Amino acid sequence: SEAKKQSLPNDSITSKTEDRNSGYKYIIVQKGDSLWSIAQENGVSLTQLKQWNNISDGKIHPGQKLKIIVAG
């Protein structure tokens, strides 16, 4: 229903904070970050990170938005 949609909070895509209710979060790649370091920091595997973001070549760049599934 429309009322239900309107009651949901707006996602903040620039936040690095976890929202366990959403099931996922976004992080913004910083200069010096690698897929491996991001995976380590977030407790996920490199394979998962690449799958969730459709990354086949393993290359990321600063400012890129990556989705991370949060285990609730």
Side-chain angles (χ1 to χ4, degrees):
S1 71
E2 286 300 311
K4 202 169 195 174
K5 284 181 186 172
Q6 290 173 352
S7 68
L8 294 174
N10 290 333
D11 285 343
S12 174
I13 57 172
T14 55
S15 175
K16 279 199 170 193
T17 58
E18 287 184 17
D19 177 1
R20 292 205 174 273
N21 295 327
S22 68
Y24 62 88
K25 64 179 177 175
Y26 287 103
I27 63 154
I28 306 298
V29 177
Q30 306 296 318
K31 189 173 182 179
D33 280 353
S34 68
L35 280 173
W36 187 85
S37 67
I38 291 168
Q40 292 292 304
E41 286 172 16
N42 291 280
V44 300
S45 76
L46 193 58
T47 303
Q48 287 174 313
L49 196 55
K50 289 167 77 171
Q51 281 178 344
W52 298 332
N53 294 283
N54 298 315
I55 298 169
S56 56
D57 58 7
K59 293 180 181 170
I60 56 172
H61 55 270
Q64 185 173 350
K65 185 171 72 172
L66 296 178
K67 182 178 185 174
I68 295 176
I69 306 295
V70 178

